[in-house]
C-alpha cells in the first residue's frame, strides 16, 4: 500500500537525495565529452565529404556525392537499432556501463576511418569498410545522447535539471564547431594535393586521444542514485517473490502500449529541435556554397562563430527554463521559428557577409530555445525503470526520420518548388509540430522525475521539502515511489 497523502509522515528526510556536487560535475564532464565526440564525428565527415567522395566513391557526378551522403545517412538510420538494444541494457545493467561502451565505439570508429585505405588501394573493400564503420558509429550513438540525457537528468537536482542538462547540447554543438574549425585550419595549412593525400585524415585521428580521455572519465564516475534506488526496489520485490524481470521485447511492448502519448509528444519536440539544428549544422554548409555562392572555406568559417555563440549560450537558456518553465521556453522558440525563419533566409540571400551571419544567428537563436531544454524535458516524460529504453527508442527514431533527413528533405523541396526559401518553410513546419507537442506536455521544471523521490542540491533544503511536500504544487506524490511502483493510470488521472 502507498502511504496516505494526508499522513504527517508522507516523506522522511532519508527519502530525499542530496546531490554530491563534485560527483555531479564529474558526471557532467564525462557525459559532455561523449556528446562532443558524437557531433565532432558528424561534423568532420560532413566537412571533408568532398575528399570522401573522391577517394572512396570514384563515380561520375552526382553519384559520387550521393554515395557519400548515403554513407552519412547510415549513421542516422542505424541509430534506432542502437537505441533498441542499448536502451533496455541501460535500464537493466546501468547507465554508466553503456555510456562507457558508446564512447569507445564512437572514438574507435572515427579513428579507423582516418587510417582506412582508399578505393585506389584496396578496391571495393574501401567503401564497404567505410560503411561498416559508419554503422558501428550509428549503433553506438543510438545509446549516447539518450543515455547521457537520462544519466544527467537523474544525477541533477529537481530545481537545476534544465541548467545541467543543457550542457549536453553545449558539448554537441561545440563538437560540431570544433570539427569545422579543425578542418578549416588543416585546409589553410595544406594545399589541395596534400589535403587529398593525407590532410583529410588528420581530424579523424584526433578522435582516438579524445576517446581515451572519455573512457577514463566515464570509468571513474558513479552510477546515478535514482537508478540504484530503483534497482534496490527491484531486488526487494524479487526477494519477496515478485514477478521476474521482463525481457527486452516485453519491455518495449509495454513501453509503447503504456506511454504512446508521451512518445508522440517527445517525438514532436525532437523533430522541432533536430530539424532546426541539422538545418544549421549539416544543410547550411551546402546551402552557403551551392545556393549563395560562397566557397567551401568561407562557408565553413561563417558557421564557426555562430556555433560557438550558440553553444556557450545554451546553459543560459537551460537555466531560464528552471526559472520560468520548460514549456514557455520551448513555446517561445516555436513561435520565433514560425515568425523569423523566412526573414533569416532573406537576410542570407542578400549576399553580404554581415547579413549571412545575421541570418545564421537567427536560426541559431531559434534552435537554442528548443535544444537547450531537450535533455531535461524528454527524460521527465518517462519513469525510471523504462527511461533509458524510452529515450533510446523515441529520440533515435525521431532523429533518424527528421533530423538526419533534414538536408535531403530541404534539397528535395528546393527542387520541387524551385525556391531557395525551402529551408525556411521546413523549419516553420517543424516548429508548428513542436508547438503542438509543447502544448500537450505537462510542465516538468522543478518537479521530481517520474518514479523518483525529490532531489535537492544542499542538506539545508531537505527539511523544507519534507515539511512542505504536500503544499508544494510542483511535487506530485503520485509520481513518487513512496511505497511500491508508480501507478501510471493514477498518474494520468491527476
Amino acid at each position: 500500500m502507498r502511504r496516505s497523502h494526508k499522513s504527517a509522515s508522507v516523506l522522511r528526510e532519508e527519502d530525499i537525495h542530496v546531490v554530491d556536487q563534485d560527483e555531479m560535475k564529474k558526471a557532467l564532464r564525462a557525459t559532455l565529452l561523449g556528446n562532443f565526440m558524437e557531433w565532432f564525428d558528424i561534423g568532420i565527415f560532413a566537412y571533408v565529404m568532398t575528399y570522401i567522395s573522391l577517394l572512396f566513391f570514384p563515380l561520375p557526378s552526382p553519384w559520387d556525392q550521393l554515395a557519400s551522403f548515403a554513407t552519412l545517412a547510415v549513421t542516422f538510420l542505424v541509430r534506432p537499432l542502437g537505441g533498441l538494444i542499448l536502451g533496455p541494457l541501460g535500464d537493466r545493467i546501468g547507465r554508466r556501463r553503456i555510456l562507457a561502451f558508446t564512447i569507445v565505439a564512437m572514438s574507435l570508429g572515427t579513428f579507423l576511418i582516418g587510417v582506412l585505405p582508399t578505393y585506389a588501394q584496396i578496391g571495393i573493400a574501401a567503401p564497404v569498410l567505410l560503411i561498416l564503420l559508419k554503422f558501428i558509429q550509428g549503433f553506438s550513438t543510438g545509446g549516447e545522447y539518450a543515455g547521457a540525457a537520462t544519466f544527467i537528468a537523474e544525477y541533477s537536482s529537481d530545481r537545476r535539471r534544465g541548467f545541467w542538462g543543457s550542457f549536453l547540447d553545449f558539448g554537441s554543438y561545440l563538437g560540431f564547431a570544433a570539427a569545422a574549425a579543425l578542418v578549416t585550419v588543416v585546409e589553410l595549412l595544406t594545399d589541395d594535393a596534400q589535403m587529398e593525400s593525407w590532410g583529410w585524415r588528420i581530424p579523424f585521428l584526433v578522435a582516438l586521444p579524445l576517446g581515451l580521455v572519455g573512457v577514463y572519465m566515464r570509468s571513474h564516475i558513479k552510477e546515478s542514485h535514482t537508478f540504484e534506488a530503483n534497482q534496490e526496489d527491484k531486488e526487494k520485490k524479487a526477494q519477496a517473490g515478485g514477478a521476474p524481470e521482463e525481457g527486452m521485447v516485453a519491455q518495449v511492448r509495454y513501453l509503447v502500449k503504456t506511454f504512446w502519448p508521451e512518445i508522440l509528444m517527445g517525438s514532436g519536440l525532437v523533430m522541432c529541435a533536430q530539424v532546426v539544428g541539422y538545418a544549421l549544422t549539416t544543410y547550411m554548409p551546402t546551402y552557403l556554397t551551392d545556393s549563395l555562392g560562397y566557397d567551401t572555406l568561407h562557408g565553413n568559417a561563417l558557421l564557426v562563430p555562430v556555433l560557438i555563440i550558440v553553444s556557450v549560450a545554451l546553459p543560459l537558456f537551460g537555466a531560464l527554463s528552471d526559472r520560468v518553465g520548460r514549456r514557455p521556453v520551448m513555446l517561445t522558440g516555436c513561435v520565433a521559428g514560425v515568425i523569423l525563419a523566412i526573414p533569416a533566409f532573406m537576410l542570407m540571400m542578400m549576399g553580404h557577409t554581415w547579413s549571412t551571419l545575421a541570418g545564421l544567428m537567427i536560426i541559431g537563436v531559434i534552435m537554442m530555445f528548443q535544444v537547450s531544454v531537450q535533455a531535461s524535458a524528454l527524460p521527465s516524460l518517462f519513469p525510471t525503470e523504462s527511461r533509458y529504453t524510452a529515450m533510446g527508442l523515441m529520440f533515435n527514431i525521431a532523429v533518424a526520420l527528421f533530423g538526419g533527413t533534414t538536408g535531403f528533405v530541404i534539397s528535395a523541396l528546393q527542387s520541387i518548388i524551385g525556391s531557395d526559401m525551402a529551408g525556411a518553410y521546413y523549419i516553420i513546419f517543424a516548429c508548428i509540430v513542436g508547438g503542438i507537442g509543447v502544448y500537450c506536455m505537462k510542465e516538468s521544471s522543478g518537479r521530481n522525475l517520474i518514479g523518483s523521490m525529490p532531489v535537492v542540491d544542499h542538506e539545508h533544503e531537505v527539511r523544507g521539502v519534507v515539511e512542505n511536500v504536500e503544499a508544494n504544487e510542483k511535487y506530485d506524490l503520485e509520481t513518487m515511489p513512496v511505497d511500491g511502483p508508480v501507478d501510471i493510470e493514477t498518474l494520468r488521472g491527476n
Side-chain angles (χ1 to χ4, degrees):
M1 288 292 292
R2 198 182 292 265
R3 290 180 218 158
S4 170
H5 293 186
K6 295 182 180 180
S7 168
S9 57
V10 175
L11 294 181
R12 302 179 297 266
E13 289 192 17
E14 54 266 33
D15 290 328
I16 314 300
H17 178 63
V18 181
V19 175
D20 183 323
Q21 298 299 321
D22 291 335
E23 288 295 327
M24 173 76 237
K25 292 171 184 176
K26 284 174 60 178
L28 183 66
R29 288 192 293 267
T31 49
L32 186 151
L33 183 58
N35 284 267
F36 178 96
M37 285 289 303
E38 176 185 349
W39 279 72
F40 182 74
D41 166 63
I42 293 172
I44 289 172
F45 196 92
Y47 285 120
V48 302
M49 193 175 292
T50 300
Y51 305 101
I52 295 292
S53 300
L54 180 66
L55 297 171
F56 289 88
F57 302 101
L59 301 169
S61 181
W63 298 107
D64 55 346
Q65 287 190 341
L66 287 175
S68 295
F69 274 115
T71 302
L72 178 61
V74 168
T75 306
F76 299 99
L77 294 176
V78 78
R79 286 180 69 139
L81 177 62
L84 179 65
I85 295 175
L86 298 178
L89 279 175
D91 282 328
R92 186 182 298 270
I93 68 174
R95 289 71 162 109
R96 186 177 66 88
R97 293 180 183 178
I98 300 301
L99 289 173
F101 164 78
T102 58
I103 199 167
V104 169
M106 286 191 302
S107 59
L108 188 60
T110 304
F111 171 79
L112 290 176
I113 291 175
V115 298
L116 198 63
T118 64
Y119 186 91
Q121 294 170 316
I122 60 172
I124 193 65
V128 170
L129 289 173
L130 178 63
I131 292 171
L132 177 62
L133 290 174
K134 296 304 293 181
F135 182 96
I136 293 171
Q137 288 177 325
F139 181 86
S140 60
T141 55
E144 174 59 35
Y145 186 88
T150 297
F151 192 64
I152 293 302
E154 293 177 349
Y155 236 99
S156 59
S157 66
D158 297 329
R159 69 181 185 86
R160 300 191 73 195
R161 189 166 291 119
F163 174 71
W164 292 119
S166 64
F167 277 94
L168 296 182
D169 289 287
F170 163 81
S172 298
Y173 289 98
L174 199 61
F176 203 94
L182 180 56
V183 172
T184 301
V185 169
V186 174
E187 287 181 328
L188 288 171
L189 297 177
T190 59
D191 56 35
D192 290 343
Q194 291 172 329
M195 191 68 188
E196 181 181 327
S197 176
W198 51 266
W200 68 272
R201 298 181 182 274
I202 294 175
F204 289 102
L205 301 180
V206 173
L208 185 60
L210 287 176
L212 292 175
V213 173
V215 172
Y216 174 81
M217 293 172 67
R218 290 190 174 182
S219 64
H220 286 77
I221 56 177
K222 296 179 180 179
E223 185 58 81
S224 77
H225 170 81
T226 299
F227 174 79
E228 290 182 334
N230 184 260
Q231 290 297 100
E232 290 176 5
D233 186 55
K234 286 183 179 179
E235 290 175 6
K236 290 178 181 177
K237 291 175 189 174
Q239 291 172 0
E245 191 170 3
E246 294 182 326
M248 183 182 72
V249 175
Q251 186 179 0
V252 172
R253 186 185 299 118
Y254 162 78
L255 187 65
V256 173
K257 180 180 178 181
T258 309
F259 291 96
W260 64 266
E262 287 79 6
I263 291 174
L264 288 178
M265 283 186 283
S267 297
L269 303 182
V270 174
M271 177 192 177
C272 181
Q274 297 302 311
V275 164
V276 181
Y278 279 92
L280 180 66
T281 55
T282 60
Y283 171 70
M284 279 302 155
T286 301
Y287 181 73
L288 292 174
T289 54
D290 293 352
S291 298
L292 301 186
Y294 288 92
D295 60 73
T296 303
L297 181 62
H298 286 86
N300 292 349
L302 282 170
L303 277 170
V304 173
V306 175
L307 289 172
I308 291 175
I309 292 171
V310 166
S311 301
V312 173
L314 286 176
L316 301 178
F317 282 73
L320 179 65
S321 77
D322 286 327
R323 185 174 295 272
V324 304
R326 320 279 188 241
R327 296 177 76 244
V329 171
M330 288 187 289
L331 193 58
T332 299
C334 292
V335 173
V338 172
I339 295 174
L340 298 177
I342 291 177
F345 274 72
M346 291 177 66
L347 278 169
M348 287 186 283
M349 291 168 66
M350 290 175 64
H352 304 295
T353 300
W354 68 266
S355 62
T356 302
L357 279 171
L360 291 171
M361 195 66 239
I362 289 174
I363 296 176
V365 171
I366 295 169
M367 184 188 73
M368 282 190 281
F369 280 100
Q370 302 296 331
V371 171
S372 61
V373 185
Q374 257 193 162
S376 53
L378 298 177
S380 300
L381 295 173
F382 307 103
T384 301
E385 60 188 12
S386 303
R387 186 169 293 125
Y388 201 154
T389 303
M391 286 286 294
L393 286 174
M394 179 267 296
F395 182 83
N396 289 302
I397 290 175
V399 169
L401 291 177
F402 306 112
T405 61
T406 295
F408 174 80
V409 171
I410 294 177
S411 297
L413 285 174
Q414 195 170 345
S415 300
I416 293 170
I417 66 178
S419 172
D420 288 341
M421 300 295 291
Y425 301 147
Y426 194 46
I427 288 174
I428 290 173
F429 172 72
C431 287
I432 291 173
V433 173
I436 295 172
V438 175
Y439 177 80
C440 294
M441 70 175 286
K442 290 183 178 181
E443 180 58 65
S444 60
S445 174
R447 298 179 184 273
N448 56 292
L449 292 171
I450 299 174
S452 303
M453 293 296 190
V455 181
V456 298
D457 282 311
H458 306 289
E459 290 283 353
H460 65 78
E461 300 176 66
V462 173
R463 171 50 54 186
V465 172
V466 171
E467 293 177 349
N468 300 304
V469 66
E470 291 179 284
N472 190 339
E473 62 179 15
K474 287 195 171 185
Y475 286 124
D476 187 349
L477 288 165
E478 292 293 348
T479 72
M480 297 181 194
V482 179
D483 276 318
V486 176
D487 185 341
I488 299 302
E489 297 305 321
T490 303
L491 168 61
R492 289 219 177 98
N494 287 330

